[in-house]
Each structure stands twice: as structure tokens, then as C-alpha cells.
Amino acid sequence: MKRRDFLHQMTYTAAGLAVLPLSSMDLDSSKKMFFEISLAEWSLHNALFKKEMTNLDFPVMARKEFGIGVVEYVNQFFKDKAKDTTYLNELLMRCKDNGIKNHLIMIDGEGNLGATDAAELSKAVDQHKQWVECAKYLGCATIRVNAAGKGTAEEVGKAAVEGLSKIGEFGASMGINVIVENHGGYSSNGKWLSGVMKQVNMKNVGTLPDFGNFCITRKQGSWECTEEYDRYIGVEELMPFAKGVSAKTHDFDASGNETHTDYVKMMKIVKKAKFKGYVGIEYEGQKTPEKEGIKLTKALLEKVGKMI
């Protein structure tokens, strides 16, 4: 065993995560989980980008393939449809026919809500408004946004407070939550993002803690992470503001445990925060096919949910 792997295993053991298979633990099949499971559309991004399926197929597949009745959309898979009521009505019909609840839309590519340039920030806020309206039309409760920007941590933080407050006010007028994911850069610093939340201080503005998105800096021209925030500390810092949780998975061992995240430890953090909402499956691995990865993530959440 390599030293790195040995230390990794010892860390897990010391943290209280049994390296035994979850199936060997004392599971109560009748125990009700403290959370509900939803499915993030990004889990199927390869199939969507390859045109093997469309956004309209997503809610149908969630129900029929995975037995999941709550979905989280990604706007880039219906980018030009935010105001297309014919399209949205078709989506709603498919949801109704399959008993699907629309919960959230993840918004990307509509500008930086932490932009330090005033004109850029104003444009980003305006471009996000159509997705607040779209979420309302689809019956979603929430949109997920990004608090990105260029400048120092203080400069981007100040801009993010302004941008989130403005889109938060618009969201509040329509009964829609606006939540920020740790999604790279400053936002992957739990202390920074929780500080922004404290300054915004709005009931409908919160966070979407993601178990895996804690890379702050990557090597130039590469996905290699050179600076990473502690995921357990980060989630703990973001949970007081959470209106959703993103259960990120990449790889699994032979016992069905996620190899990058101690799910028992992580879900105990979520439970300790008295969270009662949706935990969204977001499988992002490359070794296991998407559908299988989703099923493995669901099984892991169900096992851990009945254990803790």
C-alpha cells in the first residue's frame, strides 16, 4: 500500500467512517431518513451533450429509470427556452404525467453575480431575472446561481453581496429562493461564502453546499487542483444557510462507498444542522456510466440516511 493511500485510509478510520461495507452496518430499513432525495440534471450531462437525450426526457427518466420524483434542472440544457411557454408547457405536461416535482434550476452562463464592474454586475442581475420567472412558471422553489467575479476576495465579496441582494429581492417578489453553490474560486472558500451570506441576510438567499466543489485554485491550463478547501469544514460553514444540498459523487469502491468523500461524516454534518430538505444526487464520475453512478449514489444516500 502506498503511503498516501495508507494515510488516506487511516484518516477515514480515525474520522469514524467504517471501512467495512455499509451493508455490514446496523441498518434499520424502516427508519425514515431526515432528508429527501432529488436528482440533479448534471448527473446526465454526458448523455445530454451527446444528444442521446434532451431536457424534456430528463424528468421522465428520473421517475422511470431511478424512481426519483424531484428534479433539479440545469439551464444550459434548455438555454433558449426560459420564456418559451410552449416548450415549458410540454415540460410541465411530462412532469405531471410522471408525478414529478420541479424543485430547482441551476443557472450558469448568465453573467457573474460577483462582478466588480458595475455595468457587468447590473447586466448579470438582469439576465438572471428570466430564470427566476422561468422557475416560477415551472413550479420550482429555487434557482442556483454563482457568486463569481474578478478582483480581491474583499472586492468580489462586496460585489456579490450587492448582486445577490438585488436578484434576491426580485426572487422574493415571486416567492423564489436564490442560492449560491461553492463552485470554484472564492465561492469554494466556506468562510468567504458564509461571510457573504451573513452580509446579504435575506430569508430567500442561501447556499447549496456541494460535497465536492472545494477547489479554490487550479493549475493554469489544467483541471489539477493546487489549492483545496477542507470539504467537511466548508459544508459545516455553509449549512446554516443551506436551502439544498448537492451530494457530489465521482468514484465508488466495491462496497458502494464514495472514495473521495466520507458520506457518513458528511451527512452527519448535514443532519447536525437540522437540515430537512432535498439532497440532490450529482454524479460526476468518468469511470462508471452515468446511470449506474446515479443508482450507486442513491443507494449510498439511502444506506447512510437509514444509519445516522
Side-chain angles (χ1 to χ4, degrees):
M1 182 181 289
K2 293 181 180 179
R3 180 177 181 275
R4 180 182 61 185
D5 296 334
F6 172 76
L7 292 174
H8 185 64
Q9 180 169 322
M10 290 300 292
T11 299
Y12 267 44
T13 304
L17 174 67
V19 292
L20 299 173
L22 284 175
S23 58
S24 71
M25 297 179 182
D26 184 17
L27 301 180
D28 181 358
S29 61
S30 65
K31 182 178 179 181
K32 181 175 174 60
M33 299 190 301
F34 70 89
F35 60 93
E36 295 184 62
I37 294 175
S38 55
L39 178 62
E41 190 171 20
W42 188 255
S43 300
L44 293 158
H45 67 275
N46 287 323
L48 285 153
F49 283 131
K50 292 177 182 177
K51 309 297 184 183
E52 295 172 355
M53 62 179 288
T54 70
N55 183 66
L56 290 172
D57 299 323
F58 170 55
V60 181
M61 183 178 290
R63 172 63 73 188
K64 293 186 176 181
E65 189 81 26
F66 311 112
I68 297 174
V70 182
V71 296
E72 304 177 5
Y73 297 98
V74 176
N75 74 324
Q76 58 186 291
F77 297 122
F78 60 121
K79 186 76 172 179
D80 59 341
K81 306 295 186 183
K83 298 181 180 181
D84 186 338
T85 55
T86 300
Y87 178 90
L88 298 179
N89 286 338
E90 172 67 20
L91 184 58
L92 282 169
M93 184 179 71
R94 296 191 186 199
C95 291
K96 182 179 179 180
D97 289 347
N98 290 276
I100 291 293
K101 177 179 180 179
N102 293 328
H103 170 54
L104 182 153
I105 307 176
M106 297 186 179
I107 314 302
D108 298 303
E110 295 293 358
N112 293 327
L113 289 172
T116 51
D117 177 81
E120 183 183 348
L121 182 61
S122 179
K123 183 179 179 181
V125 171
D126 287 341
Q127 289 182 172
H128 278 80
K129 289 180 178 179
Q130 64 179 328
W131 291 107
V132 172
E133 294 168 340
C134 180
K136 180 72 172 180
Y137 195 90
L138 289 176
C140 295
T142 305
I143 65 168
R144 187 278 278 144
V145 303
N146 297 300
K150 295 181 180 179
T152 66
E154 292 74 18
E155 291 168 342
V156 176
K158 181 179 179 181
V161 170
E162 180 181 349
L164 291 169
S165 295
K166 287 181 177 178
I167 194 62
E169 288 172 5
F170 185 76
S173 72
M174 305 194 77
I176 300 296
N177 297 318
V178 176
I179 62 177
V180 183
E181 180 180 357
N182 47 301
H183 212 193
Y186 298 128
S187 73
S188 287
N189 181 313
K191 185 177 181 180
W192 182 89
L193 186 52
S194 61
V196 169
M197 289 297 111
K198 291 172 184 176
Q199 291 179 72
V200 174
N201 193 28
M202 295 176 65
K203 288 184 178 181
N204 72 312
V205 177
T207 60
L208 179 67
D210 183 292
F211 294 168
N213 286 354
F214 283 101
C215 183
I216 296 174
T217 308
R218 295 189 186 277
K219 186 176 181 180
Q220 189 172 1
S222 169
W223 279 100
E224 180 183 344
C225 187
T226 56
E227 180 186 2
E228 188 165 9
Y229 200 78
D230 185 288
R231 65 186 65 198
Y232 306 103
I233 293 173
V235 170
E236 188 169 14
E237 290 171 331
L238 298 179
M239 281 309 302
F241 314 96
K243 296 183 181 298
V245 171
S246 184
K248 177 68 59 64
T249 54
H250 287 92
D251 301 301
F252 303 87
D253 64 20
S255 300
N257 297 311
E258 217 284 335
T259 60
H260 303 278
T261 300
D262 175 337
Y263 258 67
V264 174
K265 181 178 180 179
M266 192 66 89
M267 290 304 292
K268 282 183 176 179
I269 292 171
V270 174
K271 186 177 183 179
K272 185 179 178 181
K274 301 185 186 312
F275 180 80
K276 300 290 185 182
Y278 294 106
V279 174
I281 293 171
E282 191 171 58
Y283 173 67
E284 204 176 57
Q286 301 299 319
K287 298 176 183 178
T288 303
E290 287 180 322
K291 290 183 180 181
E292 184 181 345
I294 292 168
K295 292 175 182 178
L296 285 168
T297 308
K298 184 185 179 190
L300 177 59
L301 283 172
E302 290 172 339
K303 288 179 181 179
V304 173
K306 292 179 184 298
M307 180 197 315
I308 64 175

